[in-house]
Structure formats: C-alpha cells, structure tokens
Amino acid sequence: MPHTVRPLEAGDRTAWANLWRAYLAFYETVLPEAVYASTWSRLLDPIEPTWCALALQDGTPVGLVHWLYHRTNWSVADNCYLQDLFVAPDGRGQGHGRALIEHVAADATARGCSRVYWTTHRTNHTAMQLYDRLASESGFLQYRMTLTP
C-alpha cells in the first residue's frame, strides 16, 4: 500500500494538535497551551530549524513526525534529531511509522546531514521493533536536568 507523507500545512492545526496530544498522552505528559501555540508557530516558520510532516490514510492525518537540525562537534555536517513520532492506533501496523522515518531521512540526506537519531522509552517495545529494522541502537542512555528559568 502506498503511503502518503506530506509537510505540515497551515490548515492542519486541529489534526496536528490532536495527534500531538495523543502522542504526549502515550508518554503521560501534558503541556500548557502556550507550548502548543509556540510549537505550531515554529513549525510553520521557514526560518526555524524545526519541521513536521503528517502521514495520511485516505486523506486523513493518522501520524506525525517532528524533527530538527542542529550542529554537532562530531561532524562538519549537521545532525537531524527526530524528536517526536506518532501514529494513531487506527493507523498502526500499516507502514506509516516507517514512511514518516524515511521521509525525515530523505529530507536530512537532501540537506547533507551526517546522521538522523532519535530516542524512545525503554518500554516502547512495539516501536523498537521497527526502529531495530531501520537503525542501530546506540547504547547510550539519555539523562535530563530540568532547569527552571
């Protein structure tokens, strides 16, 4: 089955917000509305280094991916961080996740990046089955230090 992945458009606000809320709920996270507004604005601003694409099933968005580009001291070329990947339950198991990752990889390749990387929770076994087919697990653990401005 062919998969349709396309860049986010201005008319996608509701579909995008619903998918992102579902993604965040999966990780038991709730963000303030100000973060949704700021992220939406950044995703539509061509100057920002952050991007979004949607996976469509019969013309309806069923998945999203967010990614951003950044410099790295380990390469002359930039890296691409695939930050968020989500496919709604009714779209899972149909190749949308793979299509979204491949979309990001193609964009990063076109921009001359040296690497696409992402993280997932160690309990996300279903997604890890896909990730293991597409990439190699780095062995690194992520640590976070929350800063309060």
Side-chain angles (χ1 to χ4, degrees):
M1 170 172 109
H3 294 92
T4 302
V5 175
R6 66 160 173 81
L8 187 71
E9 298 173 354
D12 293 325
R13 175 84 157 86
T14 299
W16 167 82
N18 289 339
L19 288 166
W20 200 30
R21 278 189 179 88
Y23 169 76
L24 294 171
F26 177 81
Y27 284 112
E28 300 175 355
T29 300
V30 176
L31 296 175
E33 286 302 316
V35 174
Y36 282 89
S38 174
T39 300
W40 177 253
S41 175
R42 290 175 183 168
L43 291 171
L44 293 178
D45 185 341
I47 296 173
E48 291 286 341
T50 187
W51 307 91
C52 177
L54 300 175
L56 305 178
Q57 183 171 295
D58 299 324
T60 301
V62 294
L64 67 72
V65 64
H66 296 146
W67 69 99
L68 55 96
Y69 297 103
H70 65 87
R71 301 254 186 245
T72 176
N73 294 327
W74 289 42
S75 171
V76 173
D78 286 350
N79 275 351
C80 176
Y81 176 49
L82 191 158
Q83 188 171 31
D84 306 309
L85 176 69
F86 178 75
V87 176
D90 59 339
R92 292 184 186 154
Q94 300 173 45
H96 297 296
R98 175 186 286 271
L100 288 165
I101 292 170
E102 289 174 348
H103 178 84
V104 172
D107 193 63
T109 298
R111 291 173 183 265
C113 289
S114 62
R115 173 183 300 167
V116 174
Y117 70 100
W118 60 91
T119 62
T120 193
H121 196 272
R122 67 183 82 226
T123 60
N124 195 357
H125 301 292
T126 302
M128 289 166 58
Q129 291 175 23
L130 170 63
Y131 302 160
D132 288 341
R133 288 192 300 269
L134 296 175
S136 58
E137 194 267 318
S138 69
F140 284 90
L141 300 175
Q142 181 189 61
Y143 289 83
R144 295 179 181 174
M145 179 186 297
T146 302
L147 305 175
T148 305

